[in-house]
Amino acid sequence: MNSTSETSNGSARSRRINDFADCRNIAHGAVFIIASGNSAKDFPIREFAGIPMITVNGAISMFMETGIEPFFYACTDTSFSKQQPELFAYAMRISQRVALWGNQAEELAVEPMGDLYLLKKAPKPTLTEWLLRIDKDLVRNRAVLGSRNRSIGFSKNLANGFFDARTVLYLALQIACHAGFSKVFLVGADMNQSAGRFYETDGSSISPCGLDQHFHSRILPSLKLMSEKVVGSKFAVYNLSPTSRIPSSVIPVKTLDEVKAIIQS
């Protein structure tokens, strides 16, 4: 569909907004999700240039001078474009597809070269919808107690919204599933707040990080739900970070050699 957005100075410009239904099940096979943990620095990205890649926030810096165009770029940090304007602009220029909040899209200084998709959260279910599991594409926590537990879930169809786990990595996993990939490999999924992000230096702007605050209450429960209710023969997830905070019982850790064997199979 076509959409007209207002810029921050009040002038209008036309921009095509794509529906997430347009990119559902358009892919298959393997995909790498490039995140921002320090272990990402050891990933030989050029060696896997032929495999689609999804990346998030400042991890786009891994793609510089590689000639690789991300299959999807996602950013849920509304302050990121101001804190890291060069990286954000680079992501807009090279990514095949971009997922942003509506207010981010309205304030873009650089137009995306690829397709633009607007994010929305999965709606809160009515009690009947929650009990009867009416929408099979929105996999929800079945915990009875606590509205926070009920809001944990995994979306297989982003046209219906996504579930926020307080880390953009979880959105990237839902994008991978939505697009149709069956083998997902996580790069830089360390979840180590004290180690920082690989692209941030002492002299650069440091974005806020809530990993420690949300890991046990939101992030890990969401990953466990994905592991138990989504992962299977049609959707497998592996972690390449040997220092990841994510338990291997939730997402198994693989070496590069093991990853190559899985891709070839």
Side-chain angles (χ1 to χ4, degrees):
M1 63 179 177
N2 287 316
S3 172
T4 299
S5 301
E6 293 290 330
T7 61
S8 57
N9 61 12
S11 63
R13 60 185 175 187
S14 294
R15 174 184 301 123
R16 178 173 173 77
I17 306 298
N18 293 272
D19 193 306
F20 268 109
D22 298 338
C23 66
R24 193 177 188 205
N25 293 327
I26 62 171
H28 66 277
V31 65
F32 285 95
I33 293 178
I34 312 298
S36 304
N38 266 318
S39 67
K41 293 187 293 187
D42 299 324
F43 179 65
I45 190 169
R46 289 184 176 88
E47 187 176 341
F48 295 93
I51 305 296
M53 299 188 188
I54 298 170
T55 193
V56 298
N57 296 353
I60 189 68
S61 62
M62 283 277 289
F63 293 77
M64 289 182 168
E65 301 179 0
T66 66
I68 302 172
E69 298 179 351
F71 176 85
F72 235 114
Y73 173 81
C75 180
T76 55
D77 181 353
T78 56
S79 63
F80 181 77
S81 61
K82 299 177 179 65
Q83 294 167 339
Q84 300 280 357
E86 293 183 1
L87 287 180
F88 187 79
Y90 181 70
M92 297 301 102
R93 290 195 300 268
I94 73 160
S95 301
Q96 298 174 38
R97 298 166 190 83
V98 173
L100 304 172
W101 294 113
N103 62 334
Q104 290 174 293
E106 290 176 357
E107 299 173 355
L108 287 174
V110 177
E111 289 292 313
M113 295 298 292
D115 296 334
L116 175 62
Y117 298 84
L118 297 187
L119 296 167
K120 65 178 182 180
K121 290 187 179 181
K124 293 182 178 179
T126 64
L127 182 59
T128 300
E129 289 172 336
W130 182 76
L131 289 173
L132 298 181
R133 310 184 193 188
I134 292 174
D135 191 339
K136 303 298 184 182
D137 290 329
L138 298 179
V139 181
R140 299 181 186 272
N141 193 333
R142 305 305 298 169
V144 175
L145 298 176
S147 59
R148 176 181 294 181
N149 290 333
R150 285 190 190 180
S151 67
I152 289 172
F154 187 97
S155 176
K156 298 179 180 180
N157 184 354
L158 295 180
N160 297 336
F162 80 101
F163 289 90
D164 179 18
R166 302 297 190 270
T167 172
V168 70
L169 173 68
Y170 198 64
L171 168 59
L173 284 160
Q174 292 169 88
I175 290 174
C177 184
H178 171 92
F181 292 108
S182 58
K183 301 173 183 176
V184 184
F185 302 98
L186 305 183
V187 175
D190 303 353
M191 296 289 165
N192 186 345
Q193 181 169 329
S194 62
R197 305 174 180 94
F198 74 84
Y199 60 87
E200 291 178 338
T201 63
D202 291 340
S204 67
S205 178
I206 307 298
S207 301
C209 183
L211 285 177
D212 287 348
Q213 178 183 357
H214 300 295
F215 185 79
H216 290 289
S217 62
R218 192 79 187 178
I219 297 172
L220 187 56
S222 296
L223 292 172
K224 284 182 176 179
L225 177 137
M226 180 195 73
S227 175
E228 295 168 0
K229 300 191 176 184
V230 181
V231 167
S233 60
K234 295 182 180 179
F235 186 72
V237 182
Y238 306 99
N239 193 350
L240 273 69
S241 171
T243 60
S244 180
R245 198 174 177 184
I246 303 171
S248 59
S249 59
V250 176
I251 301 179
V253 177
K254 299 294 181 181
T255 65
L256 277 177
D257 287 339
E258 289 173 323
V259 167
K260 293 175 185 176
I262 293 171
I263 291 174
Q264 291 173 359
S265 66

